[in-house]
Amino acid sequence: DGGITQSPKYLFRKEGQNVTLSCEQNLNHDAMYWYRQDPGQGLRLIYYSQIVNDFQKGDIAEGYSVSREKKESFPLTVTSAQKNPTAFYLCASSPLTGGDYNEQFFGPGTRLTVL
Amino acid sequence: SQKIEQNSEALNIQEGKTATLTCNYTNYSPAYLQWYRQDPGRGPVFLLLIRENEKEKRKERLKVTFDTTLKQSLFHITASQPADSATYLCALDLGSGGSYIPTFGRGTSLIVHP
């Protein structure tokens, strides 16, 4: 089955700790994205990557870091510098080529709670 | 910067009726507009994409229109069912500079009553 997976589904963190959220896709998509969603809010872009070993900041990158060492993987680290990290985090990928190259495929999300 | 407006109030309709959701945007017209469905606690699922040179697109019970003069897209679900209850997000992309980064609206909740 092709798809995009995120782990864990729920994550609890103490204040001051860094935490890494996993995102893997086997769709052979070039682009991957991280979004944050807060209650009643739209999706806000944190980081995106269109090619291995390259990534760009989105609208709310402060307090987050990413890496793209492999095409299939795009982990997100929430650092202690992120002031309000409790949120629902969504990873997505898109092919960048083909008829619906803009279509985004989303993972199931990780709900992060800071205690 | 581009703003996207979707009705924040939930839309309540009876089963069998047509649901119509609105997405308005400001400033410049996007190269394309997308609609996604999101169920509680899950990631959005892509439904339809319409390009700036298309007036209307259909897929089964779904229909999307795109009016660049009004800066508005309408999303219709005909013969609605309780299973259609979800939040529907619209997303725009300028398509310029090869960015392919859609900007999402907040979404509108649809509740279909049996």
Coordinates of all heavy atoms in Angstrom, one line a residue, chain B residues 36-80:
Chain B
Y36 N -10.4 20.1 0.0 CA -10.1 18.9 0.8 C -11.2 18.7 1.8 O -11.8 19.6 2.3 CB -8.8 19.2 1.5 CG -7.5 19.2 0.7 CD1 -7.2 20.4 0.0 CD2 -6.7 18.1 0.6 CE1 -6.0 20.4 -0.8 CE2 -5.5 18.1 -0.2 CZ -5.2 19.3 -0.8 OH -4.1 19.4 -1.6
R37 N -11.3 17.4 2.2 CA -12.2 17.0 3.3 C -11.3 16.6 4.5 O -10.3 15.9 4.3 CB -13.0 15.9 2.8 CG -13.8 15.2 4.0 CD -14.6 14.0 3.6 NE -15.1 13.4 4.8 CZ -16.3 12.8 4.8 NH1 -17.1 12.9 3.8 NH2 -16.8 12.3 5.9
Q38 N -11.7 17.1 5.7 CA -11.0 16.6 6.9 C -12.0 16.2 7.9 O -12.9 16.9 8.3 CB -10.1 17.8 7.5 CG -9.2 17.3 8.6 CD -8.3 18.4 9.1 OE1 -8.6 19.6 9.0 NE2 -7.2 18.0 9.8
D39 N -11.7 14.9 8.4 CA -12.5 14.4 9.5 C -11.8 14.6 10.8 O -10.6 14.8 10.8 CB -12.7 12.9 9.3 CG -13.7 12.6 8.1 OD1 -14.9 12.9 8.3 OD2 -13.2 12.2 7.0
P40 N -12.5 14.7 11.9 CA -11.9 15.0 13.2 C -10.7 14.1 13.5 O -10.8 12.9 13.4 CB -13.0 14.8 14.2 CG -14.3 15.1 13.4 CD -14.0 14.5 12.0
G41 N -9.6 14.7 13.9 CA -8.4 14.0 14.3 C -7.7 13.3 13.2 O -6.8 12.5 13.5
R42 N -8.0 13.6 11.9 CA -7.3 13.0 10.8 C -6.8 14.0 9.8 O -7.1 15.2 9.9 CB -8.3 12.1 10.1 CG -9.0 11.1 11.0 CD -9.9 10.1 10.3 NE -9.0 9.1 9.7 CZ -9.5 8.0 9.2 NH1 -10.8 7.7 9.3 NH2 -8.7 7.1 8.6
G43 N -5.9 13.6 8.9 CA -5.4 14.5 7.9 C -6.4 14.7 6.8 O -7.3 13.9 6.5
P44 N -6.2 15.9 6.2 CA -7.1 16.2 5.0 C -7.0 15.2 3.9 O -5.9 14.7 3.7 CB -6.7 17.6 4.6 CG -6.0 18.2 5.8 CD -5.3 17.0 6.5
V45 N -8.0 15.1 3.1 CA -8.0 14.2 1.9 C -8.4 15.1 0.7 O -9.4 15.8 0.8 CB -9.0 13.0 2.1 CG1 -9.1 12.2 0.8 CG2 -8.6 12.2 3.3
F46 N -7.6 15.0 -0.3 CA -7.9 15.8 -1.5 C -9.2 15.4 -2.2 O -9.4 14.2 -2.3 CB -6.7 15.6 -2.5 CG -6.9 16.2 -3.8 CD1 -6.7 17.6 -4.0 CD2 -7.3 15.4 -4.9 CE1 -6.8 18.1 -5.3 CE2 -7.4 16.0 -6.1 CZ -7.2 17.3 -6.3
L47 N -10.0 16.3 -2.6 CA -11.2 16.0 -3.4 C -11.1 16.5 -4.8 O -11.3 15.7 -5.7 CB -12.4 16.7 -2.7 CG -12.7 16.3 -1.2 CD1 -13.8 17.1 -0.6 CD2 -13.1 14.8 -1.2
L48 N -10.9 17.8 -5.0 CA -11.0 18.3 -6.4 C -10.0 19.4 -6.5 O -9.7 20.2 -5.6 CB -12.4 18.8 -6.7 CG -13.5 17.9 -7.1 CD1 -14.8 18.6 -7.1 CD2 -13.2 17.3 -8.5
L49 N -9.5 19.6 -7.8 CA -8.7 20.8 -8.1 C -9.3 21.4 -9.4 O -9.7 20.8 -10.3 CB -7.3 20.3 -8.5 CG -6.2 21.4 -8.9 CD1 -4.8 20.9 -8.5 CD2 -6.3 21.6 -10.4
I50 N -9.4 22.8 -9.3 CA -9.9 23.5 -10.5 C -8.9 24.6 -10.8 O -8.3 25.2 -10.0 CB -11.3 24.1 -10.2 CG1 -11.9 24.7 -11.5 CG2 -11.3 25.1 -9.0 CD1 -13.4 25.0 -11.3
R51 N -8.6 24.7 -12.1 CA -7.6 25.7 -12.6 C -8.2 27.0 -12.9 O -9.4 27.1 -13.2 CB -6.8 25.1 -13.7 CG -6.1 23.8 -13.4 CD -5.3 23.3 -14.5 NE -4.9 21.9 -14.2 CZ -3.9 21.6 -13.4 NH1 -3.2 22.5 -12.8 NH2 -3.6 20.3 -13.2
E52 N -7.4 28.0 -13.0 CA -8.0 29.4 -13.2 C -8.7 29.5 -14.5 O -9.6 30.4 -14.7 CB -6.8 30.4 -13.2 CG -5.7 30.2 -14.2 CD -4.6 31.3 -14.1 OE1 -4.9 32.4 -13.5 OE2 -3.5 31.0 -14.5
N53 N -8.4 28.7 -15.5 CA -9.1 28.8 -16.8 C -10.3 27.9 -16.9 O -10.9 27.7 -18.0 CB -8.1 28.5 -18.0 CG -7.5 27.1 -17.9 OD1 -7.7 26.4 -16.8 ND2 -6.9 26.7 -18.9
E54 N -10.7 27.2 -15.8 CA -11.8 26.4 -15.8 C -12.9 27.0 -14.9 O -12.7 27.6 -13.9 CB -11.5 25.0 -15.1 CG -10.4 24.2 -15.9 CD -10.0 23.0 -15.2 OE1 -9.8 23.0 -13.9 OE2 -9.8 21.9 -15.8
K55 N -14.2 26.9 -15.4 CA -15.3 27.5 -14.7 C -15.9 26.5 -13.7 O -16.4 26.9 -12.7 CB -16.4 27.9 -15.7 CG -15.9 29.0 -16.7 CD -15.9 30.4 -16.0 CE -15.7 31.5 -17.0 NZ -15.2 32.7 -16.4
E56 N -15.9 25.2 -14.1 CA -16.6 24.3 -13.3 C -15.9 22.9 -13.4 O -15.3 22.6 -14.5 CB -18.0 24.2 -13.8 CG -18.9 23.2 -13.1 CD -20.3 23.2 -13.7 OE1 -21.0 24.2 -13.7 OE2 -20.7 22.1 -14.2
K57 N -16.0 22.1 -12.3 CA -15.4 20.8 -12.4 C -16.4 19.9 -11.6 O -16.8 20.3 -10.5 CB -14.0 20.7 -11.8 CG -13.2 19.6 -12.2 CD -11.9 20.1 -12.7 CE -11.0 19.0 -13.2 NZ -9.5 19.3 -12.9
R58 N -16.5 18.6 -12.0 CA -17.4 17.7 -11.3 C -16.7 16.4 -11.1 O -15.9 16.0 -11.8 CB -18.7 17.5 -12.2 CG -19.6 18.6 -12.3 CD -20.7 18.3 -13.3 NE -21.6 19.5 -13.6 CZ -22.8 19.7 -13.0 NH1 -23.2 18.8 -12.1 NH2 -23.5 20.8 -13.3
K59 N -17.2 15.8 -10.0 CA -16.7 14.4 -9.6 C -17.8 13.8 -8.8 O -18.0 14.2 -7.7 CB -15.4 14.5 -8.9 CG -14.8 13.1 -8.5 CD -13.6 13.3 -7.6 CE -13.0 12.0 -7.2 NZ -11.8 12.2 -6.3
E60 N -18.5 12.9 -9.5 CA -19.6 12.2 -8.8 C -20.6 13.2 -8.2 O -21.1 14.0 -9.0 CB -19.1 11.2 -7.7 CG -18.2 10.1 -8.3 CD -17.4 9.3 -7.3 OE1 -17.5 9.6 -6.1 OE2 -16.8 8.3 -7.7
R61 N -20.8 13.2 -6.9 CA -21.8 14.2 -6.4 C -21.2 15.5 -6.1 O -21.9 16.4 -5.5 CB -22.4 13.6 -5.1 CG -23.2 12.3 -5.3 CD -23.9 11.9 -4.0 NE -22.9 11.5 -3.0 CZ -22.7 12.1 -1.8 NH1 -23.4 13.2 -1.5 NH2 -21.8 11.6 -1.0
L62 N -19.9 15.7 -6.4 CA -19.3 17.0 -6.1 C -19.2 17.9 -7.3 O -19.0 17.4 -8.4 CB -17.8 16.7 -5.5 CG -17.7 15.7 -4.4 CD1 -16.2 15.5 -4.0 CD2 -18.5 16.1 -3.2
K63 N -19.3 19.2 -7.0 CA -19.1 20.2 -8.1 C -18.4 21.4 -7.6 O -18.8 21.9 -6.5 CB -20.5 20.6 -8.7 CG -20.3 21.5 -9.9 CD -21.7 21.9 -10.5 CE -22.3 23.1 -9.8 NZ -23.5 23.6 -10.6
V64 N -17.4 21.9 -8.3 CA -16.7 23.1 -7.9 C -16.8 24.1 -9.0 O -16.6 23.8 -10.1 CB -15.2 22.7 -7.6 CG1 -14.5 24.0 -7.3 CG2 -15.1 21.8 -6.4
T65 N -17.1 25.3 -8.6 CA -17.0 26.4 -9.6 C -15.9 27.4 -9.1 O -15.6 27.5 -8.0 CB -18.4 27.1 -9.7 OG1 -18.7 27.7 -8.4 CG2 -19.5 26.2 -10.1
F66 N -15.5 28.2 -10.1 CA -14.4 29.1 -9.9 C -14.7 30.4 -10.6 O -14.7 30.4 -11.9 CB -13.1 28.5 -10.3 CG -11.8 29.1 -9.9 CD1 -11.8 30.2 -9.0 CD2 -10.6 28.6 -10.3 CE1 -10.6 30.8 -8.6 CE2 -9.4 29.2 -9.9 CZ -9.4 30.3 -9.0
D67 N -14.9 31.5 -9.9 CA -15.2 32.8 -10.6 C -14.1 33.7 -10.2 O -14.1 34.3 -9.1 CB -16.6 33.3 -10.1 CG -17.1 34.5 -10.8 OD1 -16.2 35.3 -11.2 OD2 -18.3 34.6 -11.0
T68 N -13.2 34.0 -11.1 CA -12.1 34.9 -10.8 C -12.5 36.3 -10.8 O -11.8 37.1 -10.2 CB -11.0 34.7 -11.9 OG1 -11.5 34.9 -13.2 CG2 -10.4 33.3 -11.8
T69 N -13.7 36.7 -11.3 CA -14.2 38.0 -11.2 C -14.7 38.3 -9.8 O -14.3 39.3 -9.2 CB -15.3 38.3 -12.2 OG1 -14.8 38.0 -13.5 CG2 -15.8 39.7 -12.1
L70 N -15.4 37.4 -9.3 CA -15.9 37.5 -7.9 C -14.9 37.1 -6.9 O -15.1 37.3 -5.6 CB -17.2 36.6 -7.7 CG -18.4 37.0 -8.5 CD1 -19.5 36.0 -8.2 CD2 -18.9 38.4 -8.1
K71 N -13.8 36.5 -7.3 CA -12.7 35.9 -6.4 C -13.4 34.9 -5.5 O -13.2 35.1 -4.2 CB -12.0 37.1 -5.7 CG -11.2 38.0 -6.6 CD -10.4 39.0 -5.9 CE -9.6 39.8 -6.9 NZ -8.7 40.8 -6.2
Q72 N -14.0 34.0 -6.0 CA -14.8 33.1 -5.2 C -14.9 31.7 -5.9 O -15.0 31.5 -7.1 CB -16.2 33.6 -5.0 CG -17.2 32.8 -4.2 CD -18.5 33.4 -4.1 OE1 -19.4 33.2 -5.0 NE2 -18.8 34.1 -3.0
S73 N -14.9 30.6 -5.0 CA -15.1 29.3 -5.4 C -16.3 28.8 -4.6 O -16.4 29.0 -3.4 CB -13.9 28.4 -5.2 OG -14.2 27.1 -5.5
L74 N -17.2 28.0 -5.3 CA -18.3 27.4 -4.6 C -18.1 25.9 -4.7 O -17.7 25.4 -5.8 CB -19.6 27.8 -5.2 CG -20.0 29.3 -5.1 CD1 -21.4 29.5 -5.8 CD2 -20.0 29.7 -3.7
F75 N -18.4 25.2 -3.6 CA -18.2 23.7 -3.5 C -19.6 23.2 -3.2 O -20.2 23.5 -2.2 CB -17.2 23.4 -2.5 CG -17.0 21.9 -2.2 CD1 -16.2 21.1 -3.1 CD2 -17.6 21.3 -1.1 CE1 -16.0 19.8 -2.9 CE2 -17.4 19.9 -0.9 CZ -16.6 19.2 -1.8
H76 N -20.1 22.3 -4.1 CA -21.4 21.8 -3.9 C -21.4 20.3 -3.7 O -20.6 19.6 -4.4 CB -22.3 22.0 -5.2 CG -22.3 23.4 -5.6 ND1 -23.3 24.4 -5.1 CD2 -21.6 24.1 -6.5 CE1 -23.1 25.5 -5.7 NE2 -22.1 25.4 -6.5
I77 N -22.2 19.8 -2.8 CA -22.4 18.3 -2.6 C -23.9 18.1 -2.8 O -24.7 18.6 -2.0 CB -22.0 17.8 -1.2 CG1 -20.5 18.2 -0.9 CG2 -22.2 16.3 -1.1 CD1 -20.1 17.8 0.5
T78 N -24.2 17.4 -3.9 CA -25.6 17.1 -4.2 C -26.0 15.8 -3.5 O -25.2 15.0 -3.1 CB -25.9 17.0 -5.7 OG1 -25.0 15.9 -6.2 CG2 -25.5 18.2 -6.4
A79 N -27.3 15.7 -3.2 CA -27.9 14.5 -2.5 C -27.1 14.2 -1.3 O -26.6 13.1 -1.1 CB -28.0 13.3 -3.5
S80 N -26.9 15.2 -0.4 CA -26.0 15.0 0.7 C -26.4 13.9 1.6 O -27.6 13.6 1.8 CB -25.9 16.3 1.5 OG -27.1 16.7 2.0

